[in-house]
Amino acid sequence: MISRSNRFLISSVELYDAMGEKTQIVARVLLAFCLCTFAVLFAISFCWLWHLHYSFKELRESCGVKNAASGPLNKEFAYADYRPLLRTARDAGMGETLDNYLKSISQLQLQSLKATCSSDEKVCIQGPKGDVGEKGSKGVYGKTGPKGDRGDVGRTGIKGEKGEPGTRGSRIAAPVIVNSPSNTVVIEGQTDQLHCKADGFPKPKIIWKKLQSALPLSRFHVSDNGSLSLSNVHSYDAGSYACRAESLFGSATAYATVVVRVPVRFSYVPPKRIFVTPGKTLMLRCSATGYPQPTVTWSRSAGQFPAGSSVANGTLTIKKVTADDLGHYSCSAKNNLNQISYSTALAYRGKVIPIGYGIEVRETTDLLLLCKLCSTIGPLFNFTWEKVNDVLPKERTTTTGCSLVVSNTTMNDTGEYACIGRAKTRASDQTVREVFEVTVIGAPRITSHPERVALVRSSSSLELKCTAVGPPDPVVFWTKGSRKFPASSNGTAVITIRSAGRDDEGEYHCHATSYLGKDEAVTTVHLIEKLGFVRRPSGTVRVAISGSVSIDCTATGQPSPSITWKMPCGQQTSRQAVLGNGTLVISAATVWETGIYECTAHGGGIITSRVHVIVPAIDEGWRMKSDSCGGFKQSQYNSSVRYAVSSSATWSKSKYYYCPSGYHWACTEEGKKIFKNNDNRSGQSTYYGQCGWSGYYFGGVRNRYYMRFRDSRFTNAHK
C-alpha cells in the first residue's frame, strides 16, 4: 500500500513530468526563491534569539540591591527588546507564531527575575537607555491584499478610422449540379465520356453509378473534374448513369443515358450446303444481332423464289421442295452501321447434279457413287474412277465400273470424283466424264486456339483467337462464365481485352457448334503485375558467434512470385534454413556462415538482391601485414580484387581465414569468372617479386605458391 506522502510525491513527479519545458523552468525559479526566503528568515530569527540571550544575561548581572518598589515586575519590561523581531516576523507573515513563542520566553524570564531580583540581597534597577541601533534591512514583501472594488468607467475614446473592406468569404452551400451530363450515343468498342460538374462549399465529391448494374471495374475512370470515361464500350454498357455530388451539407444527382450502337453480327445461320428431300417443307433460319435492330432479308442468286415460299422473322420457308428449288440462297442483315450477308446451297442427297453442287456424306460412314453414264452407254465404254487433283485412298476404295465405294470416310476424302468412260473407234478415241463434288461432313473441330494459360500485363491488351473447321461451317463464339461474346459464322472468333484488369482474369471457353456436334477449348487468362521486392535483403548483417539471425526476402507480383536463396559458394549447411515465406534463418552461427547470400524472386520475371553476412572471427591474426603492400595487394587487372597473405605457409582446410572488413572471399566459380586468364600476363603469380618479396619468399617463411578460395576446402581449387 502506498502512503499518502508517497502518493503525493508520485503525483508531484507525474505533474512535473507533464509540464512543458518553459513551465518546468518557471517552477524551478519559484522553488529557488522560496528556499532563499526561508533561509533569510531563519537567519534573522537566530540572530534575534542570540541577542535576547545576552540581553537577559546582562540584566541578571545588573541586579545588585533590593527593588524599592513593591509589586510585580512590569510585563512590558520583560519583552520590550523583542519588538523589532516581532515587527520583522509579522512582515514576513510569521508574526503570530513568533509572538506566541516570545511570550512563552518572557514568562520564563519574569519568573527568573522574580527569583533573582526580589531576594533580600539584590535589587534590580533600570539601566540607562541604550544607543539607537543600526537600521535593519528592508523586509520581504507581504502577501498581496484582496482585490479592490472596480473603478468607474472611463470616458469613451475617439472613434478610429474606417478600415479597408476585407475579401468576401465563401458561404457554406449544399451541392448543386451546374453542368448535368448529356445523353450520349457511342459505337461498340469506342470510348465514351460523360461530363458532370457540381458547385458548393465545401467542394462536393463526384460519385458515378450505373443504374441496375455495376460499373465495369477495369474500364471506367473518374477524372478530377468529375467526368466519367468508359473505354472499349460493350453493348451491355448501355443504360442510365447517375452523377451524384455529395458533401456534409447535402447531395444532388443528375442522370444521363448511354446508347451503344452495335454493328450487325449473325447469331445463327444455316449450313453452307443443305441436302433436301423432294416434296418436303424446308425452313432456312437466319438471325442477327446489333443496335439498332438489324433487318434480315433473303434473296436467290438465280431467278425468283419458289412458288409458295415465304419469309417471316428472318426464316425462309419453302413448301414441297422440287428440283427447280435447288440452288444458292443468300441471307442479308443490315442496320445503319453495316451490312453482312451469308450464302447456302440446296441440293438433293445422292443425286448427280451439275458441278458446283455436291453430295454430303457423314464422317466415318461409307461413300457410294453411281455413274449415270455407265448405266446408259456402259457397253460401249470402259469406265474408270479417279479423284480430281488427288489420288484415291486405295486401302479404302472399291470400284466396280459403274460404282465407287470409299469406306470409313474422313475429312480428307472431301473433293471431286470423276467417272470417266473411254471408247476406241476406227475414227477416233472418245471420252466422257461425270463429276461428283463430295463433301465429308462431321462435328466441328477447333484447329487453332490460345495456349491453355495466357498472360497479360496490367493495363495492356490481349487478343484471344479461336478457329474451327467443319464442314458444315461451325458457329464459333467465346464465353466467360455466364457472359457470351458475339458469335462468328466464318469459323474464327476473336475477342480483344483492352486495358486488362483484375475482372478480366479467369477461364475463357471457345465453342464451335453445328447441327452435327460441338467442340470446346479453354484458355485461362492471368494478369501479370510488375515483380518487385516488398522486403529486400541488402547491405551487411553482422551475427555473433553462436548467434541467430532472420533475413526477410518477400516479393509481390502476378503471378505470385517464388523465393529462392543461394548460399555462399552454393554450399548450404545444417545451420541455414529457408522458411516457406522466403525468410532465411541462420542459427548457431559459425565463421563459415560468413559470405554473400543471394535472394531471387521468380514470377513474371526474375529479380535478385544480395546481402553480406559477417560472423566476426575469434582469431583474426592469421594475416601477414609486414610487406610493403600490407599483405593485402590489389589486383593489377581487376581493381575490385585483392589478395591477402597468410603469415603461415601451411594451409588448413579446417581453419576459417577471416576476410578483412568490406570484402568477401571469392568462391571457386566466382574466381573462374574473374581469372579467365592468369592475373599476370608474364605467367607469374601476383605476389611474385612484388611488394618487397623475393620471388615467392618473404619474411623468413618458405615459399608460398597458391591463392585459395572460400570453398577450396571442398574443391581443392587454387590460383
Side-chain angles (χ1 to χ4, degrees), residues 382-386 399 401 418-422:
N382 181 26
F383 285 91
T384 58
W385 290 86
E386 65 180 34
T399 59
C419 171
I420 303 173
R422 297 181 178 87

Side-chain angles (χ1 to χ4, degrees), residues 100-127:
N100 294 332
Y101 175 66
L102 294 177
K103 285 180 180 180
S104 64
I105 292 177
S106 299
Q107 292 296 330
L108 292 175
Q109 288 179 336
L110 290 174
Q111 292 176 7
S112 178
L113 288 173
K114 286 179 180 181
T116 302
C117 298
S118 299
S119 62
D120 295 335
E121 295 84 9
K122 295 183 179 179
V123 177
C124 293
I125 61 175
Q126 184 173 355

Side-chain angles (χ1 to χ4, degrees), residues 411 442-448 467-474 476 491-492 512 514 519:
M411 290 295 179
R445 295 192 307 276
I446 295 176
T447 58
S448 175
T467 301
V469 296
D473 290 339
V476 185
T492 300
S514 72
D519 195 10

